Amino acid sequence: MDKTVSSSQTKLIRGDHLDGTIYSRGWQRTAQAADIIEPATGSVLGRIGMASAGDVAKASATAARAQRDWASASYDARAAVIRKAASLLETHFADVVDWLIRESGSARGKAEFETQLCIKALNEAAALASQPQGLVLPSETGRMNLARRRPLGVVGIISPFNFPLYLAMRAVAPALAVGNAVVLKPDPRTAVCGGLVFAALFEKAGLPEGLLHVLPGAGDAGAALVADPNIAMIQFTGSTKAGRVVGENASRHLKKVSLELGGKNTLVILKDADLELAVKNAAWGAWLHQGQICMSSGRILVEAPIFEAFTAALAEKAKTLPVGNPATDNVALGPIINKAQLDHIDRVVKTSVEQGARLLAGGTYDKLFYAPSVLAGVQPGMAAFEEEIFGPVACVTSFNGDDEAVELANRTEYGLSAAVISPDIGRAMAVGDRLRAGLLHINDQTVNDEVINPFGGVGASGNGTSIGGPSNIDEFTQWQWLTIRNAPPAYPF
C-alpha cells in the first residue's frame, strides 16, 4: 500500500501514516518497529519500522542494480528530479518545519533555517549534475589522454538526530546528482524528518524506483551497511566514538569513508572586542539548538582584562532566554533529545563544579528542558574543558596573551570549528592561523554552514575529508584514467 500523501493534500508526511513500515523499493513491512517520541512532551508521534541486516542487504542489492541506469541517464534528467524535490520541499515547507520542531525539539527559527538550507542544498546539487566531470591530460601524439570523474555506485549514508534533515540532505542530494544510488540510515529518533521526508520528496519528484532506500535502524543495521559488498562508500555524521568504529570497519572492507564527527570548538574573544557583540556571539554559539551541534562553541576563551565583565553579562543573558516546548511556545531553547543525553550534560556540569568551576547560571532542568548554563573558571583537566557536552553549557576560560590562547585552543584531540572576535583583524587572523581546525571564522562564532562551503574537521573531528560545495564532486565520485587511440600499438613482443 502506498503510504505517501497525494498531491492534493497539504501534508507530506502524516502521523497516521506511520505504522511501522520502512521505505525500500516502496513501502514494505518489517518485523521490528519503534516509537517516535516527541521530546518536549513524551508523546508518541507514530511508529517507524526498524530495518534489519537482511533489509540492508536487500536494499543495497536493489540499489546497485538501479544505479547503472541512473548513472547512464543524462545530467538534465538527474538535475530535473533534484530540482523537483527542491520545489516540493518549498511547497511542504511548513509541514517539514513542524516535524523538525516536534520530532527533534528544534526551536522554530532553527527548524526554518535548516529547511531553507536543504532547499539550497538541493538546488546546488542539481547544478552539480552539469559541472565539468574531468580533464584532458597531456599525452603523446596519436593518443587522447583523459581523467574523468565516475560515480562510486551505491553510497551508504548514516545521519544524526541534531540537524536530521540537513545533515542527511547535504550527502543524499549530491550523491544522487552525480549518478550514485543511496541507502540512507537515519537516526531512529528522527526517522521522519531525517528519513521519511526524503522518501516522500524523491518519490513524488520522480526519482526512479530502487535508487533511494530509507532504513532507520539500530547499530546492527549500521554495521551491515558498512560491511555490505554493494556499498562503495560510507558517509557518516555523528559522534567521534561511533565514527571510530565506522571508520575502522569501512577501512577493513576497503570502502571510501567520509567521517564528520564531534567537536570541542573554541571561540576566542580578545580584550578589545565589543562586549555586547561578544556576548551575543557566545550565547548563540553555545546555546543554539540546546548546544546539540557539532560546531557549538564548546570552550569560550576570554582575555583576562574583560573576563569578569564578560562572564557576568553572559550569565545575565542566560537568565533571560525562554526555554520550553517549541511546538507551542515562542522559545529560544527546546528540549534535549532524550534523558541519556540530559544525564550526560548534568554529569559534566556537576563534575566540573566539584573540580572548581563556578556555576554562574543554569545547571538546572525540568524533564528534558535544560536551562542555558554558564561555567566560569573552567580549566584544563576539568570535565567541561575536555569533553564534548552536546548541551546548552557555556564553558568560559580566562587567558593572557595570544600564545596562551592558542595553547588552550589546541589542547584537544578535536579540530572542527574555531573562531576569533576582535576589531584588530590582523591580530585575530594571526591567532586564527595558529588554530588547528577545519573551519575558521574571524569576527563570528563557531556555528556556521552555507551549503556552498567545504565542511570537515581534522583529528577526532573527522578523517580530513570535506563535504559540501566544491568538495562534493570529489567526495561522491572517483577518478578514472581513460586513453583512446585510433588503433592498438604494435608492441615489440
Side-chain angles (χ1 to χ4, degrees), residues 20-111:
T21 53
I22 58 174
Y23 181 91
S24 181
R25 193 174 171 79
W27 294 82
Q28 300 175 346
R29 292 282 170 185
T30 186
Q32 298 180 353
D35 289 337
I36 297 173
I37 305 296
E38 183 177 26
T41 65
S43 300
V44 176
L45 300 175
R47 287 178 65 75
I48 188 69
M50 293 285 282
S52 67
D55 292 322
V56 171
K58 292 175 184 177
S60 61
T62 302
R65 291 191 294 270
Q67 186 269 335
R68 290 187 284 271
D69 287 341
W70 180 243
S72 299
S74 71
Y75 67 85
D76 276 336
R78 296 197 302 271
V81 170
I82 296 170
R83 283 195 300 269
K84 179 64 173 177
S87 176
L88 286 165
L89 186 52
E90 289 179 329
T91 299
H92 295 283
F93 186 89
D95 180 25
V96 174
V97 166
D98 286 344
W99 271 110
L100 281 166
I101 291 169
R102 298 193 67 191
E103 190 183 32
S104 73
S106 299
R108 181 166 295 277
K110 179 265 186 187

Side-chain angles (χ1 to χ4, degrees), residues 375-451:
L375 285 172
V378 175
Q379 298 299 318
M382 292 182 181
F385 188 91
E386 306 294 344
E387 297 185 42
E388 183 181 25
I389 301 175
F390 229 61
V393 183
C395 307
V396 193
T397 301
S398 176
F399 71 89
N400 287 288
D402 296 0
D403 289 344
E404 185 178 12
V406 171
E407 191 277 329
L408 289 169
N410 288 337
R411 193 165 175 168
T412 177
E413 64 175 347
Y414 295 104
L416 183 54
S417 186
V420 185
I421 293 179
S422 171
D424 185 342
I425 304 299
R427 184 186 177 199
M429 279 296 298
V431 171
D433 283 344
R434 297 167 64 188
L435 304 183
R436 189 174 62 250
L439 318 171
L440 175 63
H441 306 289
I442 303 300
N443 282 325
D444 206 337
Q445 43 73 51
T446 56
V447 181
N448 278 282
D449 202 345
E450 295 181 16
V451 178

Side-chain angles (χ1 to χ4, degrees), residues 304-318:
I306 64 169
F307 179 80
E308 293 300 332
F310 174 88
T311 53
L314 188 62
E316 286 303 311
K317 171 73 74 176

